[in-house]
Amino acid sequence: MYILDCASTAPSAGNLEAWDVVLVDDRGIREELSDAAYGQEHVRDAPNLLVVCANYIRSMSRYGERGILYALQDATIACTYMMLAAHARRLHTCWVGAFAEEEVRTILDLPTHVRPAAILCVGKGHPPARLTERLPVGEHLHYNAW
Ligand SMILES: Cc1cc2nc3c(=O)[nH]c(=O)nc-3n(C[C@H](O)[C@H](O)[C@H](O)COP(=O)(O)O)c2cc1C
């Protein structure tokens, strides 16, 4: 609940909070989701999964087509807040975006107006074997125009 309380403070388009989350702690469902995520073992082994979804109806009811983008942005910002909140509680997370969407829909019985954006694995991980590298920030930056 701490993690979700933090996520609910995230900014969202029009303050509509067009995201929802399915908390999965059931081992059997985690195994099914791991299969849907092409066998990624951390999806099976993490004790808790937060399947973060964009809720299109909540956003499109005010913003129409633009609401699709807003709902995806709301969901991914909320997911990022969840990662930070978990970190604050000394938990580890892994954002999983590679999954067969239709399979995830079926496993979790998601309604059609909801799109799963990320499976966030939450648990106690191992220290990283090596730090990941990043592009020099100059690769991202464009001055005044592209
Ligand atoms: C949109 C997105 C999709 C991702 N999908 C996966 C995934 O399917 N499986 C996985 O293990 N990590 C996934 N990651 C995590 C990235 O691999 C990871 O953030 C990146 O390699 C940098 O590593 P670091 O976050 O440990 O620094 C994803 C991250 C994002 C933002």
Side-chain angles (χ1 to χ4, degrees), residues 48-69:
N48 292 285
L49 304 174
L50 296 171
V51 184
V52 184
C53 302
N55 185 320
Y56 288 145
I57 282 188
R58 216 176 279 151
S59 190
M60 293 180 78
S61 56
R62 185 183 301 173
Y63 295 115
E65 285 297 302
R66 188 83 183 157
I68 294 174
L69 176 62

Side-chain angles (χ1 to χ4, degrees), residues 40 42 94-99 132 134:
Q40 296 191 64
H42 34 298
C94 182
W95 184 308
V96 169
F99 52 80
T132 49
R134 294 296 192 264

